[in-house]
Amino acid sequence: MLQDIRRHIAARSAYAKAVAWEIPVQDQNLSGAQLEAAREATAEAYRELSLVGHALVSTAPADPKALVDLLLYMEKNFTTLPQEVVGRSLALNLIHTVPMSLRKITKYGKSK
């Protein structure tokens, strides 16, 4: 699971770099080929980010410690989750509460 988290961090970084490169290319009115290359690099980085993000949420680890790591990473880095009930995100509530319960069970990490 830590390897999947590292892949996601790397993909987020690559996407941020691609976007950071595309913006000045657009602002400087460079050639169409350069703009197209920048847009393609951004699109490819986004595809990779989506792919590794999907891998994070679609394969829940069986090891409770790995699950705690995953949920803590998601809590810290996934700021947009669907609002499901009266402005409260059930997904975010789950991410907040499950690690605390698992920490007590596994005696892993800091308990709140």
Side-chain angles (χ1 to χ4, degrees), residues 42-58:
T42 300
E44 180 59 33
Y46 182 78
R47 284 190 289 272
E48 177 67 15
L49 179 61
S50 296
L51 179 69
V52 296
H54 184 266
L56 277 178
V57 297
S58 65

Side-chain angles (χ1 to χ4, degrees), residues 9-25 38 41-42 45:
I9 292 168
R12 283 181 29 226
S13 177
Y15 178 68
K17 288 177 184 175
V19 169
W21 178 55
E22 182 180 342
I23 292 170
V25 170
T42 300

Side-chain angles (χ1 to χ4, degrees), residues 6 8 14 30 33 39 45 48 60 63 70 79 82 86 91 101 105:
R6 283 189 210 104
H8 191 262
L30 298 177
R39 286 183 177 157
E48 177 67 15
D63 175 45
L70 172 62
T79 57
V86 193
S101 299
I105 294 168

Side-chain angles (χ1 to χ4, degrees), residues 7 20-21 39 69-70 78 87 89 99 102 106 109:
R7 282 184 62 211
W21 178 55
R39 286 183 177 157
D69 289 337
L70 172 62
F78 286 73
S89 171
L102 287 173
T106 62

Side-chain angles (χ1 to χ4, degrees), residues 78-93 96:
F78 286 73
T79 57
T80 306
L81 293 170
Q83 298 298 313
E84 298 170 4
V85 177
V86 193
R88 287 181 40 217
S89 171
L90 296 179
L92 187 57
N93 287 344
H96 284 303

